[in-house]
Amino acid sequence: MAILPIIRYPHACLQQVATPVDATSTQTARLARDLLETMHAAPGIGITACHVGILLRLVVIDLPEGPGPRIYANPEIVWQDSETATGEEGSVSMPGIHAPVTRPARVRVRHTGPDGVDMEEEAEGLLAVCLQHEIDQINGIFWTRRLSPLRRERAMKRYGKQARLNGAG
């Protein structure tokens, strides 16, 4: 396993649609393990291959109170609840910046298992938020696009200030 370098916003990979991954390949399994290690080191609770500059539809989530790491190959939302919930979100590609995002409270996600079989899973709470956030990412939608214009402007100003303080800008 390896900790991979995380790309930073506004890298082009964070705004492009990822291509399907072969869920059954040993390369995908290795990448999923590397993403898990990278995510834990960041630290974070969700990561995609896009966050490390690899445009593949692979998502890894490991919630603090969850059953352990979950790997989603080629995930897509097939149903979303009309009820919404708002929670703080951020990204390993924009560390230190968080803002409230409103999303459907429950979703159903279809993804491919390591045996190549498609499966569906319903999620609510933090898992639903993470799935929507990471699926947005593999669809080229960076989380800040879900913010109101005012909140997005504020987040970008904080990020720019942070980058200047860290000598990156």
Side-chain angles (χ1 to χ4, degrees):
M1 293 198 326
I3 296 175
L4 305 172
I6 295 173
I7 61 175
R8 299 290 184 231
Y9 181 84
H11 194 284
C13 282
L14 300 171
Q15 299 171 53
Q16 296 176 11
V17 177
T19 58
V21 66
D22 177 359
T24 64
S25 77
T26 56
Q27 294 89 347
T28 298
R30 184 178 317 113
L31 178 57
R33 287 190 302 273
D34 290 347
L35 286 173
L36 180 64
E37 188 169 337
T38 302
M39 179 186 69
H40 286 156
I45 59 173
I47 195 168
T48 70
C50 301
H51 287 112
V52 297
I54 301 171
L55 283 172
L56 292 175
R57 299 183 71 78
L58 186 62
V59 170
V60 175
I61 295 173
D62 192 7
L63 302 180
E65 306 295 322
R70 297 170 184 234
I71 298 166
Y72 298 89
N74 307 314
E76 61 178 320
I77 296 170
V78 295
W79 173 84
Q80 58 188 27
D81 196 355
S82 58
E83 183 182 331
T84 60
T86 301
E88 288 287 309
E89 293 188 27
S91 174
V92 295
S93 290
M94 188 182 260
I97 306 300
H98 299 88
V101 177
T102 300
R103 297 184 180 272
R106 288 176 294 284
V107 294
R108 184 177 309 119
V109 173
R110 179 180 300 128
H111 60 99
T112 308
D115 56 0
V117 175
D118 285 344
M119 56 186 73
E120 288 189 9
E121 175 181 342
E122 288 200 23
E124 61 184 354
L126 186 56
L127 180 57
V129 170
C130 287
L131 283 166
Q132 292 172 84
H133 178 102
E134 303 307 348
I135 291 170
D136 267 359
Q137 186 57 72
I138 62 174
N139 287 329
I141 302 169
F142 197 68
W143 73 279
T144 55
R145 286 184 41 199
R146 297 292 183 193
L147 300 174
S148 70
L150 179 61
R151 286 193 192 278
R152 184 178 315 113
E153 180 182 344
R154 288 178 180 166
M156 292 304 169
K157 282 183 180 178
R158 287 193 316 270
Y159 184 59
K161 182 179 179 180
Q162 182 184 67
R164 285 188 301 280
L165 290 173
N166 292 331

